[in-house]
Amino acid sequence: MEGLSRRLRAALPQDRMTRADVVAGLPGAVGSVPDGMAAGVLAGVSPVAGLYASMAGPLFGGLATSTQLMVISTTSASALAAGSALSDVAAEDRASALVLLTLIAGVVMIAAAALRLGRYTRFVSHSVMTGFLLGIAANIVFGQLPDLTGVSARGDVAAAKAVFVVTHPGEIDVPSLVTGTLAIAVLVGFARTRLRLIASLGALVVPTLLVLAAGWDSVRRVSDAGAIPSGFPLPHLPDITAISPSLIGGAAAVAVIVLVQGAGVADAAPNPNGRRSQANRDFTAQGVGNVAAALFRGMPVGGSVGQTALNSAAGARTRWAAIWSGVWILAILVAFAGVVGRVPMPTLAAVLIVAAIGSLDPTRVSAIWSSGFTSRIALAVTFLATLLLPVTAAVGVGVALSLLLQLNQEAMDLKVVRLRVDGDRLVEELPPKRLSDNEIVILDVYGSLFYAGARTLQARLPDPAGAHAPAVILRLRGRTTASATFLTVVADYAHRLDASAGRLYLSGVDQGIRALWTDELLAAQGVSVEFFEATPTVGESTLLAYAEARVRTREAG
């Protein structure tokens, strides 16, 4: 028992809990009620799944975060991705499948943390991520128009459903439209006052009272989507018999979305104590939050931009604020479960639409659009993929596009310069396109020589054809690794120089590269290369290579 108690104490935040943290958790909990319910609707399940996730995510995930103000709760992107992954699952099986998907996503996140993959989040292009979030926002707005207007819309994608609503105005249910419009008015109106912290709650309460007072039975309620359990929620083990390859793929897509978004939240919410956030620890926290959400029959959770901002605005100081947010939601669930079922569905659609529109950042989009053709392509392609394809497929397009952009940038952002020896100095000049007889050329390369970069270098090396006994010194100082592609490029160029009675010299070579490029390896490929390993004195090995090249050139001449 003593060992268990010690482990439990170690799991709790070491920061001292303050009154400000306890109080700050309450506005977050109040805001999480409509947000969580709306996320459940977005995923195509009962809003209760979102409520349970909004309770379990911050309560358990908050125990492990390194980003102290991060709130792990439901997010629109993960909800939409989860709903997309379950689009082919029968309605009666969707709730259990969602719980299993959440559990798998949590395990994937914990595994990513164990493998220390946090550093790879930086490889997701800013343009790609912005295009994806724009597509998510557009999908939310289009997809919630039917609930806002009370129309039973048809369509394979959210945009098609929005078009159906616009082209069939006669099917709009006026009480539903009035209810949703009132909720939007309350959200926008409260946002301009001191009541902004409870704007989402007001958007639920005011329209609900109107619907009850007017007796509008045509307006769909939360209880129409499923029974609302009462009492204290208890953990349940998911039904693992529902597992399938598509479910695993959907869970992986959700994990990617959550982890990349979480990294963005960590950047936007620096720790008050000045400590740097640890990506892998935040991975673990979000994984734990998802496992806990699954055990309480919830849906995927992750670092929430909105809830984290609300947590900070409410005066949070430590991780205890997020944990208390989960505690307050638990209290709300126990005390007001019966009231939840009476909430009109158009109000949840209104919450989602306002949040989606509010997430748009025209300044960021304008900056990306002004950054060049490549950034525009990345933004536009990801936006259209998110708008027209299932979210899981759009994530794959985004990841692939990020990798292609990285490789393209490495290939394009490569510069070759000539170093002219001026006494004991090296002066940069433009490199020649062709080599001359007995010419000695020292080349330095700026940029990556990995894969595409090595091929770009190959295209920019001076042509030795027609020259007699030229010498090329390729400076490699500061490069600690060399790809197989770069070795192929070096071997090919050495052969071309040999054909002209010339020689290739590599200067500033790291010991690790030299250990890999053994004489036996080069001899097996028929490659003749002179190595000059790097020394503590910058330029020394290059000057030594230059001196030897001069001797050889004089002998050849």
Side-chain angles (χ1 to χ4, degrees):
M1 287 296 292
E2 183 178 347
L4 177 61
S5 176
R6 186 166 55 251
R7 285 194 294 271
L8 289 175
R9 286 196 301 270
L12 292 174
Q14 301 303 306
D15 303 298
R16 179 175 171 270
M17 180 170 51
T18 65
R19 180 182 177 184
D21 291 321
V22 178
V23 175
L26 186 55
V30 171
S32 290
V33 171
D35 288 350
M37 294 169 66
V41 172
L42 201 57
V45 296
S46 169
V48 177
L51 283 175
Y52 285 167
S54 297
M55 175 273 295
L59 182 57
F60 293 94
L63 294 172
T65 54
S66 71
T67 305
Q68 295 174 325
L69 302 186
M70 178 189 285
V71 178
I72 298 174
S73 187
T74 55
T75 69
S76 298
S78 62
L80 202 59
S84 176
L86 301 176
S87 58
D88 295 331
V89 178
E92 61 272 16
D93 299 326
R94 184 167 295 178
S96 60
L98 178 64
V99 169
L100 184 57
L101 180 144
T102 304
L103 178 63
I104 297 172
V107 172
V108 170
M109 293 176 203
I110 294 173
L115 295 173
R116 308 194 67 78
L117 301 181
R119 63 185 181 275
Y120 292 110
T121 56
R122 67 180 183 269
F123 288 104
V124 178
S125 162
H126 181 64
S127 303
V128 166
M129 193 62 193
T130 301
F132 176 72
L133 293 178
L134 281 176
I136 289 290
N139 271 334
I140 291 173
V141 173
F142 293 150
Q144 293 307 306
L145 282 179
D147 277 342
L148 186 75
T149 57
V151 176
S152 298
R154 294 184 294 274
D156 295 330
V157 295
K161 294 178 181 179
V163 170
F164 184 93
V165 172
V166 173
T167 56
H168 294 77
E171 296 191 21
I172 294 177
D173 179 63
V174 175
S176 296
L177 181 59
V178 170
T179 303
T181 303
L182 177 60
I184 292 175
V186 171
L187 282 167
V188 175
F190 278 25
R192 303 174 184 273
T193 69
R194 296 179 180 178
L195 300 176
R196 60 184 179 277
L197 294 180
I198 59 170
S200 295
L201 182 63
L204 295 191
V205 173
V206 175
T208 299
L209 293 177
L210 173 64
V211 170
L212 292 176
W216 288 342
D217 295 331
S218 63
V219 180
R220 293 183 66 238
R221 317 289 174 87
V222 168
S223 57
D224 295 336
I228 309 299
S230 60
F232 195 90
L234 297 175
H236 291 75
L237 291 176
D239 179 14
I240 62 173
T241 60
I243 194 169
S244 66
S246 61
L247 196 68
I248 295 174
V254 168
V256 171
I257 292 171
V258 166
L259 295 181
V260 173
Q261 275 197 316
V265 171
D267 289 339
N271 290 328
N273 61 9
R275 295 176 187 170
R276 293 189 62 182
S277 297
Q278 302 171 29
N280 291 307
R281 185 171 165 185
D282 286 340
F283 278 19
T284 300
Q286 292 172 96
V288 169
N290 276 276
V291 171
L295 294 178
F296 282 93
R297 294 170 292 175
M299 57 185 294
V301 293
S304 169
V305 176
Q307 287 298 315
T308 300
L310 182 58
N311 191 39
S312 178
R317 294 291 179 268
T318 70
R319 284 185 284 160
W320 284 106
I323 295 171
W324 269 100
S325 175
V327 173
W328 287 122
I329 294 176
L330 180 60
I332 292 172
L333 281 171
V334 174
F336 300 104
V339 179
V340 170
R342 300 184 180 184
V343 174
M345 294 294 284
T347 63
L348 300 183
V351 169
L352 285 168
I353 290 173
V354 172
I357 294 175
S359 68
L360 301 177
D361 188 346
T363 302
R364 177 188 295 181
V365 175
S366 177
I368 293 173
W369 199 257
S370 302
S371 298
F373 181 74
T374 301
S375 297
R376 294 176 189 174
I377 289 295
L379 179 74
V381 169
T382 313
F383 172 74
L384 291 175
T386 308
L387 202 61
L388 302 176
L389 299 175
V391 176
T392 49
V395 170
V397 170
V399 171
L401 188 58
S402 291
L403 294 175
L404 289 174
L405 288 174
Q406 175 72 17
L407 293 175
N408 179 69
Q409 187 65 27
E410 289 182 357
M412 298 298 293
D413 191 19
L414 186 136
K415 181 181 179 182
V416 179
V417 298
R418 179 176 185 172
L419 299 179
R420 176 174 55 83
V421 177
D422 182 11
D424 59 351
R425 298 180 304 168
L426 297 173
V427 181
E428 287 189 358
E429 296 179 344
L430 291 175
K433 293 185 178 180
R434 303 183 67 86
L435 298 176
S436 304
D437 292 346
N438 301 315
E439 184 179 17
I440 302 174
V441 176
I442 303 174
L443 298 177
D444 200 1
V445 183
Y446 297 101
S448 171
L449 293 178
F450 196 63
Y451 293 155
R455 292 301 184 187
T456 301
L457 171 66
Q458 185 177 34
R460 296 182 182 178
L461 289 172
D463 187 0
H468 174 69
V472 174
I473 302 170
L474 188 59
R475 188 169 180 264
L476 300 179
R477 187 177 183 87
R479 301 182 185 276
T480 57
T481 59
S483 67
T485 304
F486 181 55
L487 174 59
T488 301
V489 170
V490 168
D492 175 72
Y493 196 58
H495 285 141
R496 294 174 65 194
L497 285 169
D498 284 344
S500 300
R503 182 61 59 89
L504 177 63
Y505 300 82
L506 300 180
S507 70
V509 179
D510 184 85
Q511 291 181 354
I513 295 179
R514 186 66 179 100
L516 291 175
W517 289 8
T518 63
D519 293 336
E520 293 78 8
L521 173 65
L522 297 176
Q525 301 185 50
V527 178
S528 297
V529 177
E530 299 290 340
F531 287 91
F532 289 82
E533 294 189 21
T535 68
T537 303
V538 177
E540 182 177 21
S541 65
T542 300
L543 292 174
L544 290 174
Y546 179 73
E548 183 169 319
R550 290 185 64 185
V551 172
R552 186 178 186 280
T553 301
R554 282 198 298 267
E555 293 175 350

